[in-house]
Amino acid sequence: MTKVSLVKCQTYDYNKVKAAVNKSITLAGSLKKTIKKSDTVLLKVNLLKAAKPEQAITTHPAIVKAVCEQILDLGATPIVGDTQNIQMDKGQSSLKLSGIKAVCDELKVKAIDFKDNGFTKVKVPKPVQMKEIWLAKDILDADIIISLPKMKTHILTSYTGAVKNFFGCIPFGERMKAHVLGKDEMFAEVLSDIYSVIKPQFSIMDGIQGMEGDGPTHGPKRNYNLIGASPDCVSLDAVCSNLLGFSSINTVIAAEKRGLGTADLNKIQILGDKIPPFTIQMPNQNIRKSQSLASYIPKPIKDYLVKNLLKFEPRVDESKCKKCAICEKACPVNAITMDPYPVFDRDKCIKCFCCHELCPEGAIYTHKSWLAKHWR
Ligand code: SF4
Ligand code: SF4
């Protein structure tokens, strides 16, 4: 039986978090069996938005610190990362504002934005929605991958946790295409396509403070007072979403269907503290319905919408550009040519924003169309 542990923790006081994280990992099967001294262990945090820890949007730095310390104790090398959201453009970095960069600096652990190392195209074995995905190179370079999600409701998928956390490993442009598929089920299949390539080895859920209602960013904070852990992200999500009152979650169903994990609660051994189910404020169903309307729109029209109306694209401020061509070299799809300033091939661009991230002059900015500015 797959093991999932749940350990009560009502505070982000570091010593208490460390004790709860260590207990939950030990109960769920211990990292010792999985991690070797020579391993690089990528901790995939949730950096959805540049937000402070108390906003309960991003993985709390205390959890990140406790897991990093466990990995360092095993003699392995932790790296903490995610794709920082491009909407952090007001000069706020989500790694910094979340407090994650500070704990990584304290432990001399690398904190990375996946855009710095870029993305590479990978074939999906037995694909359902995506035959190929552009995946963060840092994920592919790691020996071990651990999901460190935040326990939240989600306006489109109802719940977001350990499996959905990996959506941040693909470029922004690819995420947009997935979001306009229109059906929860299809979106869940995209998530399982991504998950089937990444195959993480463990997950530790930050469920001390999460979110209810219109998560993952706009709902009210909610104290769930727990840390969860499992070697199976699908099982951890099945248990945590069930605690929130969801009888089934498409992401979990899609992953289980492909043999990527166990979602059947009868086949999961839940260890640790007894956590009674929560009564929570549910996501706004009207917004979910308007999303499903997109499923009636034919694919060519959706493609037109994404390409022409829902525009997020890199542009260059020629007054700042020094024509160094770093952006041209960084682009994974060769969508930039220098003439003499960067010129973007809009058909090739996958909107990974690596050019924006790596430009030393801050000369590449994100242009948003009216619809993109108002798109939620
Ligand atoms: S990296 Fe920045 S400064 Fe260099 S060519 Fe590109 S836009 Fe210009
Ligand atoms: S042009 Fe910039 S945003 Fe587009 S694919 Fe290349 S690096 Fe990514």
Side-chain angles (χ1 to χ4, degrees), residues 316 320-327 338 342 359-361 363-364:
V316 66
K320 289 185 181 169
C321 177
K322 298 276 194 301
K323 298 180 263 184
C324 67
I326 288 175
C327 55
M338 302 299 293
C359 171
E361 308 301 328
I364 295 181

Side-chain angles (χ1 to χ4, degrees), residues 175-192:
R175 280 185 258 163
M176 267 170 64
K177 283 187 206 161
H179 268 306
V180 297
L181 284 171
K183 275 190 180 165
D184 281 6
E185 294 85 344
M186 291 161 97
F187 182 62
E189 284 161 359
V190 170
L191 296 175
S192 71

Side-chain angles (χ1 to χ4, degrees), residues 222-242:
R222 175 71 188 255
N223 294 333
Y224 297 122
N225 298 326
L226 67 89
I227 303 276
S230 179
D232 182 341
C233 294
V234 180
S235 296
L236 184 60
D237 280 348
V239 170
C240 291
S241 59
N242 190 263

Side-chain angles (χ1 to χ4, degrees), residues 104-167:
C104 288
D105 288 350
E106 185 191 331
L107 300 174
K108 298 194 172 48
V109 165
K110 255 204 223 168
I112 54 171
D113 179 346
F114 292 156
K115 292 199 286 308
D116 288 345
N117 206 7
F119 298 85
T120 195
K121 205 190 257 184
V122 184
K123 281 202 182 333
V124 175
K126 300 183 190 155
V128 179
Q129 289 291 338
M130 296 171 103
K131 287 188 180 134
E132 293 170 325
I133 53 169
W134 286 91
L135 192 62
K137 286 182 189 160
D138 293 301
I139 287 279
L140 294 166
D141 291 346
D143 300 303
I144 301 285
I145 295 161
I146 297 180
S147 184
L148 294 189
K150 189 88 172 160
M151 188 161 147
K152 295 186 284 187
T153 48
H154 194 290
I155 206 147
L156 300 177
T157 57
S158 299
Y159 160 89
T160 172
V163 174
K164 187 173 179 302
N165 189 27
F166 291 106
F167 194 46

